[in-house]
Amino acid sequence: MSMYTRLAAGRYLASEHTQGPWDPATQHMGPVTALIVHELAQTAPRAGLELSRLAVDVFGPVPIGELEVRTEVIRDGKRVQCLAATVSSGGREQARATAWRIREAGTPATPALAAPPIPPAATDSWLSTGFGYGKATDWRFVSGTAGATGPATVWGRVLMPLVEGEEITPLERLALFADSGNGVSQVLDFATHLFVNVDLTISLFRAPAGEWVCMDAATVIGPSGRGLTRSTLFDQDGEVGTATQTLFVAPR
């Protein structure tokens, strides 16, 4: 049981565990983003360079089925490296990403936010029973609740491999959850409105560790059909970075 099965180099078959909440035939972008990170990790890796920023533009929903992830090096340097990735299915490109790797070096660390404690397991909610991605993940709310409106702080962990037979990394775990900020901090009723992100930007000042990821997320909606979600990201050792999502907002 996994989210993806590798078919060939860069080609995967998505399982029902990638299913998103908006359409039962399409994937949540969390697993897709994690798969991009998975492929980027195998692209021109070099010791001492760490992924520090990932920006994903979403052109359309990714269907549950076969998909292809292609990567390339845009700029290769000693101190920084820029990579690109595309996700396509059925001959159509659904997402495009760029990523920056920055060289490791000893620097004086400034104070960062402490991580909130991980709550005990909660009772079932729409997150854990409503759709494939939600059922494949474990959600623990520190503040806010699943399905309620308003800001939320929530811990999450994935309950199965991202790719069959391959161990998921902490960075892939973080990417898998970062796309859910707009969902856990919704400010409009899910039954009456769409608030779908057209992009996701993850910026990290240190590498995440461990199996748990926390988001302190808040969403604001403007007066003309656009919104913005901002999430502070944590592992159990504390703050690691931020994620932002630009939202398309419309009545259903």
Side-chain angles (χ1 to χ4, degrees):
M1 189 166 61
S2 63
M3 291 187 166
Y4 298 98
T5 300
R6 186 186 293 273
L7 302 176
R11 296 194 65 84
Y12 298 87
L13 178 64
S15 75
E16 69 273 15
H17 303 298
T18 65
Q19 180 192 53
W22 302 110
D23 182 338
T26 63
Q27 299 183 52
H28 191 288
M29 278 303 296
V32 176
T33 303
L35 192 63
I36 291 171
V37 171
H38 185 77
E39 279 291 310
L40 287 173
Q42 303 169 60
T43 304
R46 195 161 74 245
L49 288 178
E50 292 274 358
L51 191 143
S52 299
R53 177 184 178 270
L54 176 71
V56 182
D57 289 309
V58 184
F59 302 146
V62 183
I64 298 175
E66 291 190 24
L67 71 159
E68 182 177 18
V69 184
R70 294 184 178 181
T71 63
E72 63 175 319
V73 178
I74 297 176
R75 183 189 187 280
D76 199 4
K78 293 181 180 180
R79 298 181 179 181
V80 294
Q81 185 184 59
C82 188
L83 309 174
T86 60
V87 176
S88 59
S89 178
R92 182 177 180 180
E93 184 179 358
Q94 276 95 18
R96 186 177 299 174
T98 56
W100 280 99
R101 289 174 177 155
I102 297 177
R103 62 90 180 94
E104 290 182 308
T107 50
T110 58
L113 297 173
I118 301 173
T123 56
D124 286 343
S125 69
W126 73 272
L127 273 173
S128 59
T129 61
F131 56 102
Y133 166 80
K135 291 184 285 187
T137 46
D138 178 9
W139 298 85
R140 312 274 183 97
F141 278 80
V142 177
S143 64
T145 57
T149 57
T153 303
V154 58
W155 284 96
R157 63 173 175 166
V158 63
L159 301 176
M160 63 182 61
L162 177 69
V163 178
E164 184 180 17
E166 302 183 39
E167 185 174 351
I168 188 170
T169 68
L171 187 58
E172 290 164 5
R173 289 189 179 99
L174 182 139
L176 192 143
F177 281 97
D179 190 71
S180 295
N182 62 320
V184 299
S185 67
Q186 65 187 71
V187 291
L188 297 173
D189 190 334
F190 184 84
T192 60
H193 283 81
L194 298 170
F195 38 93
V196 182
N197 58 302
V198 299
D199 65 4
L200 170 67
T201 301
I202 300 171
S203 299
L204 303 174
F205 59 83
R206 70 169 175 87
E211 68 170 329
W212 288 94
V213 175
C214 180
M215 293 180 293
D216 181 13
T219 295
V220 60
I221 304 296
S224 55
R226 302 191 302 277
L228 176 66
T229 297
R230 290 169 282 202
S231 302
T232 302
L233 305 174
F234 301 83
D235 63 13
Q236 286 180 265
D237 294 325
E239 183 185 5
V240 298
T242 63
T244 60
Q245 299 164 283
T246 305
L247 308 181
F248 165 83
V249 183
R252 283 186 178 272

